[in-house]
Amino acid sequence: MTGLEKRRRRAEGRIMAFLLAAGFLFLLPLVVTFTNSLMAEAEIVLNYGARLTLFDLVEGVTEKFCRISLLPGEISFRQYFEVLLNQPSFLILLANSLKITLPVVAGNLVFSMLTAYGFTIWQWRYKEALFMAYIVVMLMPLQAVLVPNYIVADFLGVRSSYLAIILPGIFSPFGVFLMRQSMKAIPPAYFEAARIDGAGNLQIFFHVVAPQLKSSVAALLMLMFIEYWNLVEQAVIFIDDYTREPLSVYLSRIAAGRIGLVFAASCVYMFLPLWFLLLGQKDAERFYLRELFAANRGHLAKTALAALTILCGLAALMILARQALATCLGWQGLLPPGHSWAVGGFALKLAWLDAWYSPGAAIFILLQLVLAAIFILAWKLSAPKPQETEIGGDHG
Amino acid sequence: MADLSLRNITKIYEGGVIAVRDLSLDVADRDFIVLVGPSGCGKTTTLRLIAGLESVTSGELLLDGERINDRLPKDRDMAMVFQNYALYPHMSVYDNIAFGLKMSKTPKPEIRERVEEAARMLEIGSLLARKPRALSGGERQRVAFARAIVRKPKVFLLDEPLSNLDAALRDQIRTSLIDLHRKLEATFIYVTHDQTEAMTLGTRIVLMRDGLVQQTDTPANIYDKPANIFTAGFIGSPRMNFLSARAELADEGGARIALRWGGRLIPLPPDKSAALEIGETCRFALDPGKLHLFETGSGEAI
């Protein structure tokens, strides 16, 4: 191994360590939310007693406590059952969120692609000035445009309907900006070739331009979906009927009522954007998986992937074994309050099991971290995608 | 039939840049015209004017006697091969070739037939399912040709189609281009900055500089009888040498004119001496390819 290679390895190691640390910070809340969503309601109340209910006071409980507990003592889908099947309000609010988000995402995509296309193909005098105006509007913070939006919505008579949120969303300038920038990257020869081949403007758009913008479209869809899925301000201002609120507003209130359901509700709430994210990442993933296994490259990443597979297997085995053991011996429900590591109560007393289990929990987190790190690292290590030769024409 | 005429074509860009000045050119059916010149001379602009990708500022474009200045590119019955080939990256080779036919709503069986015929002609039949990304430079180039051929246009416009290829491949494709021109019996207009390509491919060469045509002639005439110093200097490898000399009488009392250069008299052939007066200073060019060395005392010959 040459000195240069050693240094490169060391540098990669440092990057890896940094990514792991950053990944840990970013993923911890997600992991906790997910694992806690599998807890029984009772266990949650025991761990997150920060909000004292009237009943607590009656029973003389005055202590406030909040323990981040990582693993459920007993895996239970009760929370999901409550949220998805027993509480129609949750589903109605979920539908409300979709009613706002989907029209915005779809409408914005169509509008911004066509507008950007217009900016790309037509040459006219004040084009750049108009585009500048788009950018200025885009840079305005939401709070600055909320009041004008409110006045316009009032004028249009849609003040308390979803349209007051949807219309500004559809015509938000960010998409136009993103799409125009990516259309700029398409060499003009494509447009000209298509024009000579007899394609009209719309045909060029659908056959030549749109298919080349897949990744930008995915990015736009993702960003718009997340933006409007997570909206709070607009809903608080425009929607005055609480049955028509989106989930994002309701979620902050669910904790006040039934804290035991908040984790499952959050998970369901997160699921859709996550699904969207993964949808958009499919292309990217396929790309870096290919890169990972490409010869002579990504050696470190390959090793890490192998390690990840082994860790996955181990963790799964431990969780399964523990669960089986707990079930067989009937330890469920014996969980004493106050054990933050959420290990079966009886098992806690067996020191060896505790020691055996704690690394298991650590590995569980580690898995998530490694997964995040590995994708980012693979991204970094892989060479930039080989571009097709695009040499600007010599307009002699 | 495709007789293309350019009558006093001028192109001025918005900023006031004059790209082509008063260009007139008659292209006969089945001609292989090569527009050649240094970069920035207006040759690509001329091609784009013919294709309809740029609008003509003044002058007339005639195809078979009809004015086509305002005709859309797709209605001009021309196909163009771009320098970077402009193969749509998301389409397979087949779809790339078929695109123009699909746009003109040709029936599917006919599309298939014509694409396969073009593919056969360019020997890319085995590549039809691939994406352009998976092709070599030479293969992409042939696909770009196939895309032009399949539409059976009257005029082929080729914009430096060989400039992205390596030298060996360039030679090979140059030969097949000549074959193709013969087989297709169509008119070719070819833009290049490479004089070797111009000399080997063209039936006629249009040499341009700063938007002006310097000379339009057959390769042999351009080489042997350059119209001006620029033409003489641009064509030929190795390049010509330019020297200053004074015209004198070749011999006492005779009519022949010779050039005095470096203490030596170089007699001129009669057709070249007509333009010169005795005592005039002029510049002459020596073509290194035609210089012969003689034994001492016998002097140089031109």
Side-chain angles (χ1 to χ4, degrees), chain A residues 123 187-200 203-204 206-209 211-212 214 385-386 388-396, chain B residues 39-45 48 51 53 73-74 78-80 82-84 86-91 99-100 103 105 132-133 140 147 151 160 164:
Chain A
Q123 305 296 328
Y190 286 121
F191 295 90
E192 290 168 353
R195 200 155 290 152
I196 290 179
D197 273 342
Q203 280 167 318
I204 295 179
F206 284 115
H207 293 290
V208 178
V209 177
Q212 292 192 50
K214 267 186 204 154
K385 205 170 181 175
E388 281 177 70
T389 37
E390 308 290 12
I391 295 169
D394 160 33
H395 292 274
Chain B
S39 58
C41 73
K43 54 192 191 299
T44 299
T45 307
R48 291 165 62 83
L53 296 173
K74 60 171 175 158
M78 298 175 182
M80 186 156 168
F82 289 84
Q83 186 178 20
N84 61 2
L87 300 178
Y88 311 121
H90 56 283
M91 292 184 201
F99 185 72
M103 289 298 116
K105 306 238 160 41
R133 200 177 295 120
R140 283 182 206 180
R147 198 168 66 175
R151 294 178 50 219
E160 309 215 20
N164 286 350

XYZ file of all heavy atoms in Angstrom, chain A residues 123 187-200 203-204 206-209 211-212 214 385-386 388-396, chain B residues 39-45 48 51 53 73-74 78-80 82-84 86-91 99-100 103 105 132-133 140 147 151 160 164:
548
model
N -37.527 33.870 -27.190
C -36.635 35.005 -26.989
C -37.465 36.278 -27.081
O -38.050 36.540 -28.113
C -35.555 35.035 -28.074
C -34.756 33.762 -28.182
C -33.959 33.477 -26.936
O -33.506 34.394 -26.250
N -33.790 32.197 -26.603
N -28.591 20.941 -24.324
C -27.968 21.666 -25.435
C -29.023 22.088 -26.460
O -29.934 21.325 -26.765
C -27.022 20.631 -26.046
C -26.870 19.575 -25.028
C -28.085 19.590 -24.183
N -28.877 23.306 -27.010
C -29.876 23.815 -27.963
C -30.019 22.927 -29.193
O -31.063 22.929 -29.838
C -29.332 25.186 -28.358
C -28.074 25.394 -27.616
C -27.837 24.280 -26.684
N -28.963 22.142 -29.491
C -29.038 21.290 -30.689
C -30.212 20.315 -30.601
O -30.793 19.949 -31.616
C -27.731 20.526 -30.865
N -30.584 19.901 -29.378
C -31.715 18.979 -29.236
C -32.999 19.618 -29.732
O -33.801 18.991 -30.421
C -31.902 18.564 -27.769
C -30.866 17.598 -27.273
C -30.063 17.904 -26.188
C -30.703 16.366 -27.886
C -29.105 17.022 -25.732
C -29.756 15.477 -27.438
C -28.950 15.814 -26.361
O -28.009 14.939 -25.911
N -33.174 20.883 -29.345
C -34.386 21.578 -29.765
C -34.384 21.735 -31.286
O -35.398 21.529 -31.948
C -34.450 22.973 -29.128
C -34.570 22.946 -27.632
C -33.446 22.938 -26.828
C -35.817 22.929 -27.033
C -33.559 22.918 -25.457
C -35.942 22.916 -25.657
C -34.809 22.905 -24.867
N -33.212 22.101 -31.820
C -33.128 22.353 -33.251
C -33.329 21.074 -34.048
O -34.037 21.065 -35.055
C -31.772 22.986 -33.571
C -31.691 24.405 -33.026
C -30.297 24.979 -33.050
O -29.341 24.243 -33.367
O -30.168 26.179 -32.734
N -32.707 20.000 -33.575
C -32.850 18.722 -34.271
C -34.324 18.321 -34.311
O -34.842 17.898 -35.339
C -32.027 17.645 -33.572
N -35.000 18.497 -33.170
C -36.411 18.116 -33.108
C -37.239 19.008 -34.022
O -38.178 18.556 -34.677
C -36.912 18.214 -31.679
N -36.874 20.273 -34.093
C -37.622 21.196 -34.931
C -37.473 20.812 -36.406
O -38.443 20.810 -37.156
C -37.112 22.624 -34.693
C -38.083 23.680 -35.112
C -37.869 24.956 -34.348
N -38.253 24.816 -32.950
C -37.728 25.514 -31.971
N -36.785 26.393 -32.219
N -38.134 25.330 -30.739
N -36.246 20.452 -36.794
C -36.038 20.034 -38.180
C -36.795 18.736 -38.449
O -37.339 18.520 -39.519
C -34.526 19.862 -38.467
C -33.867 21.234 -38.476
C -34.307 19.159 -39.790
C -32.391 21.199 -38.713
N -36.851 17.873 -37.414
C -37.570 16.608 -37.565
C -39.082 16.815 -37.609
O -39.825 15.851 -37.746
C -37.230 15.662 -36.407
C -35.987 14.843 -36.705
O -35.624 14.771 -37.887
O -35.399 14.272 -35.770
N -39.517 18.039 -37.434
C -40.938 18.307 -37.611
C -41.743 18.354 -36.336
O -42.963 18.332 -36.381
N -41.061 18.407 -35.177
C -41.813 18.461 -33.928
C -42.207 19.905 -33.621
O -41.422 20.822 -33.825
C -40.966 17.902 -32.795
N -43.441 20.075 -33.136
C -43.879 21.396 -32.708
C -43.415 21.659 -31.287
O -42.812 20.786 -30.659
N -44.709 19.125 -28.806
C -44.098 17.809 -29.033
C -42.660 17.798 -28.538
O -42.205 16.815 -27.956
C -44.150 17.453 -30.514
C -45.517 16.915 -30.923
C -45.666 16.866 -32.420
O -45.257 17.793 -33.119
N -46.259 15.801 -32.910
N -41.958 18.888 -28.783
C -40.577 18.963 -28.280
C -40.599 18.868 -26.757
O -39.798 18.170 -26.145
C -39.895 20.279 -28.723
C -39.744 20.306 -30.227
C -38.526 20.423 -28.066
C -39.108 21.572 -30.763
N -42.843 17.425 -24.766
C -43.179 16.109 -24.215
C -42.192 15.015 -24.621
O -41.903 14.125 -23.835
C -44.590 15.703 -24.641
C -45.643 16.431 -23.862
C -46.506 17.327 -24.476
C -45.756 16.236 -22.491
C -47.458 18.014 -23.746
C -46.711 16.909 -21.753
C -47.566 17.800 -22.380
N -41.670 15.096 -25.857
C -40.822 13.999 -26.334
C -39.348 14.222 -26.045
O -38.591 13.269 -25.927
C -41.006 13.791 -27.834
C -42.369 13.290 -28.205
N -42.778 12.016 -27.908
C -43.409 13.894 -28.805
C -44.018 11.861 -28.328
N -44.432 12.988 -28.867
N -38.924 15.476 -26.023
C -37.481 15.731 -25.925
C -37.092 16.331 -24.567
O -36.153 15.871 -23.931
C -37.019 16.670 -27.060
C -35.542 16.965 -26.935
C -37.319 16.039 -28.408
N -37.842 17.323 -24.108
C -37.412 18.035 -22.898
C -37.810 17.282 -21.626
O -36.958 16.946 -20.803
C -38.011 19.459 -22.875
C -37.636 20.168 -21.584
C -37.490 20.243 -24.066
N -38.629 14.183 -20.803
C -37.963 12.943 -20.402
C -36.533 13.155 -19.911
O -35.989 12.320 -19.207
C -37.957 12.098 -21.684
C -38.972 12.707 -22.566
C -39.032 14.155 -22.217
N -35.939 14.296 -20.293
C -34.559 14.521 -19.861
C -34.490 15.183 -18.496
O -33.419 15.399 -17.954
C -33.834 15.404 -20.878
C -33.625 14.700 -22.185
C -32.677 15.459 -23.064
O -31.598 15.839 -22.655
N -33.061 15.677 -24.305
N -36.071 14.070 -15.697
C -36.636 13.184 -14.679
C -36.163 13.525 -13.274
O -36.953 13.600 -12.350
C -36.264 11.739 -15.007
C -37.323 11.047 -15.830
C -36.972 9.584 -15.983
C -37.631 9.028 -17.205
N -36.907 7.877 -17.748
N -21.124 11.235 -12.717
C -21.711 10.469 -13.817
C -21.065 10.876 -15.133
O -20.925 12.056 -15.424
C -23.191 10.823 -13.869
C -24.053 9.766 -14.476
C -25.496 10.159 -14.241
C -26.427 9.137 -14.802
N -27.807 9.456 -14.476
N -20.602 9.887 -15.922
C -19.960 10.266 -17.186
C -20.949 10.971 -18.100
O -22.012 10.445 -18.406
C -19.535 8.920 -17.773
C -20.313 7.902 -17.035
C -20.655 8.465 -15.704
N -22.289 12.714 -21.549
C -22.110 12.517 -22.975
C -21.355 13.712 -23.518
O -21.443 14.807 -22.991
C -23.467 12.425 -23.655
C -24.072 11.059 -23.484
C -25.450 11.015 -24.112
O -25.529 11.063 -25.334
O -26.410 10.964 -23.353
N -20.621 13.482 -24.582
C -19.853 14.594 -25.128
C -20.795 15.642 -25.673
O -21.589 15.376 -26.563
C -18.945 14.115 -26.278
O -19.671 13.142 -26.991
C -17.644 13.562 -25.758
N -20.715 16.789 -25.076
C -21.549 17.891 -25.549
C -20.607 19.034 -25.867
O -20.195 19.778 -24.995
C -22.538 18.356 -24.474
C -23.380 17.281 -23.855
C -24.416 16.706 -24.806
O -24.329 16.991 -26.014
O -25.288 15.988 -24.346
N -20.238 19.140 -27.077
C -19.351 20.238 -27.427
C -20.161 21.284 -28.154
O -20.863 20.988 -29.111
C -18.189 19.740 -28.287
C -17.338 18.789 -27.439
C -17.346 20.905 -28.761
C -16.337 18.023 -28.207
N -20.104 22.466 -27.627
C -20.899 23.547 -28.217
C -20.557 23.714 -29.691
O -19.407 23.618 -30.091
N -21.558 23.908 -30.493
C -21.355 24.054 -31.930
C -20.532 25.289 -32.231
O -20.615 26.292 -31.538
N -19.727 25.172 -33.209
C -18.951 26.338 -33.631
C -19.824 27.151 -34.559
O -19.966 26.846 -35.738
C -17.675 25.868 -34.337
C -17.079 26.939 -35.218
O -17.199 28.121 -34.857
O -16.494 26.587 -36.252
N -20.436 28.176 -33.993
C -21.321 28.972 -34.835
C -20.486 29.942 -35.635
O -20.368 31.101 -35.320
C -22.357 29.686 -33.981
C -23.311 28.706 -33.377
N -24.416 28.285 -34.036
C -23.275 28.031 -32.208
C -25.046 27.394 -33.278
N -24.372 27.229 -32.192
N -19.817 29.389 -36.633
C -18.805 30.137 -37.376
C -19.399 31.272 -38.182
O -20.544 31.340 -38.465
N -12.778 29.552 -37.948
C -13.962 29.663 -37.114
C -14.387 31.122 -37.012
O -13.559 32.032 -37.014
C -13.718 29.061 -35.731
O -12.645 29.696 -35.118
N -15.693 31.326 -36.992
C -16.213 32.682 -36.967
C -16.391 33.281 -38.345
O -16.670 34.464 -38.474
N -16.261 32.461 -39.391
C -16.332 33.017 -40.735
C -17.750 33.042 -41.272
O -18.014 33.597 -42.329
C -15.431 32.243 -41.683
S -16.080 30.625 -42.095
N -18.696 32.449 -40.562
C -20.087 32.502 -41.004
C -20.571 31.239 -41.688
O -21.698 31.191 -42.153
N -19.732 30.199 -41.715
C -20.133 28.993 -42.453
C -21.273 28.252 -41.753
O -22.246 27.843 -42.395
C -18.938 28.061 -42.674
C -18.184 27.673 -41.405
C -16.860 27.014 -41.758
C -16.207 26.373 -40.542
N -15.867 27.313 -39.446
N -21.173 28.131 -40.404
C -22.256 27.453 -39.685
C -23.535 28.268 -39.755
O -24.624 27.714 -39.919
C -21.846 27.204 -38.222
O -20.703 26.370 -38.219
C -22.948 26.521 -37.451
N -23.398 29.597 -39.659
C -24.586 30.453 -39.769
C -25.264 30.235 -41.118
O -26.488 30.131 -41.202
C -24.195 31.921 -39.601
O -23.468 32.068 -38.395
C -25.418 32.808 -39.568
N -27.223 27.151 -40.994
C -28.413 27.304 -40.162
C -29.466 28.161 -40.858
O -30.666 27.957 -40.662
C -28.032 27.902 -38.813
C -27.206 26.942 -37.950
C -26.545 27.650 -36.798
N -27.538 28.232 -35.903
C -28.170 27.574 -34.950
N -27.898 26.297 -34.765
N -29.053 28.161 -34.196
N -31.113 25.805 -43.196
C -31.984 24.874 -42.472
C -33.230 25.564 -41.939
O -34.232 24.914 -41.666
C -31.217 24.246 -41.309
N -33.056 27.469 -39.156
C -32.894 27.641 -37.710
C -32.618 29.104 -37.359
O -32.776 29.515 -36.228
C -31.755 26.759 -37.190
C -31.991 25.256 -37.337
C -30.748 24.471 -36.964
C -33.165 24.824 -36.477
N -38.581 25.049 -40.613
C -37.527 24.063 -40.884
C -38.072 22.716 -41.346
O -37.530 22.095 -42.263
C -36.827 23.918 -39.531
C -37.111 25.170 -38.798
C -38.417 25.693 -39.314
N -39.171 22.283 -40.716
C -39.652 20.935 -41.041
C -40.239 20.863 -42.448
O -40.360 19.790 -43.012
C -40.700 20.500 -40.017
C -41.904 21.402 -39.976
C -43.003 20.822 -39.112
C -44.126 21.835 -39.031
N -45.409 21.301 -38.695
N -35.319 19.156 -45.592
C -33.879 19.046 -45.374
C -33.640 18.290 -44.070
O -34.468 18.329 -43.173
C -33.254 20.428 -45.231
C -33.403 21.278 -46.462
S -32.753 22.922 -46.144
C -33.118 23.699 -47.709
N -32.498 17.625 -43.981
C -32.133 16.975 -42.723
C -30.772 17.490 -42.314
O -29.955 17.834 -43.160
C -32.094 15.467 -42.898
N -30.551 17.561 -41.016
C -29.291 18.124 -40.555
C -28.611 17.148 -39.596
O -29.269 16.513 -38.778
C -29.577 19.443 -39.848
C -28.341 20.207 -39.457
S -28.741 21.974 -39.286
C -27.269 22.570 -38.486
N -25.877 17.234 -36.646
C -25.246 18.237 -35.799
C -23.861 17.802 -35.361
O -23.546 16.619 -35.323
C -26.107 18.491 -34.566
C -27.377 19.225 -34.871
C -28.501 18.547 -35.311
C -27.447 20.596 -34.736
C -29.666 19.211 -35.609
C -28.603 21.277 -35.034
C -29.716 20.584 -35.467
N -23.079 18.812 -34.990
C -21.709 18.532 -34.562
C -21.682 17.588 -33.360
O -20.872 16.686 -33.296
C -21.036 19.856 -34.201
C -19.574 19.697 -33.884
C -18.934 21.031 -33.576
O -19.604 22.003 -33.247
N -17.625 21.081 -33.680
N -22.608 17.810 -32.398
C -22.629 16.913 -31.233
C -23.669 15.812 -31.411
O -24.066 15.169 -30.459
C -22.886 17.707 -29.947
C -24.216 18.414 -29.973
O -24.968 18.279 -30.938
N -24.537 19.143 -28.931
N -26.636 15.448 -31.343
C -27.964 15.724 -30.775
C -28.856 14.490 -30.761
O -30.031 14.553 -31.091
C -28.647 16.869 -31.527
N -28.296 13.352 -30.361
C -29.132 12.152 -30.208
C -29.857 12.258 -28.879
O -29.237 12.527 -27.861
C -28.262 10.889 -30.222
C -27.444 10.675 -31.487
C -26.590 9.418 -31.337
C -28.354 10.553 -32.691
N -31.172 12.054 -28.892
C -31.941 12.189 -27.651
C -31.517 11.097 -26.672
O -31.669 9.910 -26.973
C -33.432 12.088 -27.953
C -33.850 12.982 -29.095
C -34.448 12.467 -30.230
C -33.604 14.349 -29.033
C -34.810 13.291 -31.286
C -33.956 15.168 -30.077
C -34.564 14.635 -31.206
O -34.905 15.455 -32.246
N -30.977 11.484 -25.518
C -30.354 10.491 -24.635
C -31.337 9.485 -24.043
O -30.950 8.394 -23.664
C -29.718 11.341 -23.529
C -30.399 12.654 -23.590
C -30.856 12.849 -24.994
N -32.612 9.869 -23.969
C -33.565 8.975 -23.310
C -34.218 8.005 -24.283
O -34.999 7.162 -23.887
C -34.628 9.805 -22.605
C -35.315 10.749 -23.537
N -34.723 11.922 -23.951
C -36.507 10.686 -24.154
C -35.547 12.543 -24.783
N -36.633 11.816 -24.921
N -33.911 8.139 -25.574
C -34.531 7.249 -26.554
C -33.517 6.234 -27.055
O -32.325 6.515 -27.131
C -35.013 8.060 -27.761
C -36.163 8.982 -27.500
S -36.631 9.751 -29.068
C -37.501 11.180 -28.474
N -37.796 9.150 -34.913
C -38.477 10.312 -34.342
C -39.117 11.212 -35.406
O -40.296 11.564 -35.313
C -37.478 11.120 -33.493
C -38.113 12.268 -32.759
C -38.947 12.034 -31.682
C -37.893 13.580 -33.157
C -39.535 13.091 -31.004
C -38.487 14.636 -32.487
C -39.309 14.382 -31.406
N -38.347 11.542 -36.426
C -38.857 12.434 -37.464
C -40.071 11.834 -38.171
O -41.050 12.530 -38.455
N -43.097 12.002 -36.007
C -43.652 13.357 -35.963
C -44.484 13.641 -37.206
O -45.449 14.390 -37.169
C -42.521 14.391 -35.875
C -41.819 14.425 -34.546
S -42.919 14.866 -33.210
C -42.917 13.381 -32.233
N -46.254 11.502 -38.633
C -47.365 10.549 -38.591
C -47.289 9.490 -39.698
O -48.293 9.135 -40.315
C -48.711 11.295 -38.707
C -48.888 12.406 -37.693
C -50.119 12.164 -36.849
C -50.133 12.900 -35.538
N -49.654 14.277 -35.525
N -28.139 5.940 -26.750
C -26.938 6.620 -27.263
C -25.752 6.570 -26.308
O -24.603 6.529 -26.727
C -27.411 8.065 -27.448
C -28.870 7.967 -27.635
C -29.333 6.780 -26.857
N -26.046 6.569 -24.992
C -24.978 6.550 -23.994
C -24.064 5.342 -24.191
O -22.879 5.395 -23.913
C -25.615 6.510 -22.604
C -24.728 6.948 -21.485
C -25.480 6.933 -20.166
N -26.564 7.896 -20.134
C -27.846 7.569 -19.952
N -28.206 6.325 -19.807
N -28.772 8.504 -19.917
N -22.333 6.653 -32.706
C -23.275 7.759 -32.546
C -23.377 8.564 -33.825
O -24.448 8.984 -34.244
C -22.784 8.699 -31.448
C -23.036 8.168 -30.079
C -22.557 9.175 -29.065
N -22.229 8.460 -27.841
C -21.787 9.031 -26.749
N -21.590 10.329 -26.725
N -21.523 8.317 -25.676
N -30.481 9.013 -38.822
C -31.633 9.827 -38.491
C -31.929 10.828 -39.615
O -33.072 11.177 -39.871
C -31.372 10.582 -37.187
C -32.632 11.097 -36.569
C -32.389 11.575 -35.176
N -31.515 12.743 -35.154
C -31.217 13.410 -34.041
N -31.698 13.015 -32.889
N -30.431 14.452 -34.074
N -35.403 10.135 -43.384
C -36.480 11.024 -43.819
C -36.449 11.282 -45.328
O -37.308 11.962 -45.861
C -36.394 12.345 -43.057
C -36.670 12.152 -41.580
C -36.531 13.450 -40.841
N -37.274 14.514 -41.488
C -36.844 15.748 -41.597
N -35.666 16.080 -41.136
N -37.582 16.656 -42.186
N -20.028 20.120 -39.345
C -18.804 19.530 -38.778
C -19.056 18.153 -38.170
O -18.749 17.931 -36.998
C -18.216 20.457 -37.703
C -18.065 21.877 -38.204
C -16.856 22.565 -37.638
O -15.943 21.861 -37.177
O -16.805 23.801 -37.697
N -15.751 15.510 -33.826
C -15.631 14.876 -32.508
C -15.023 13.479 -32.576
O -15.116 12.723 -31.618
C -16.989 14.791 -31.827
C -17.449 16.138 -31.314
O -16.670 17.090 -31.315
N -18.678 16.225 -30.886
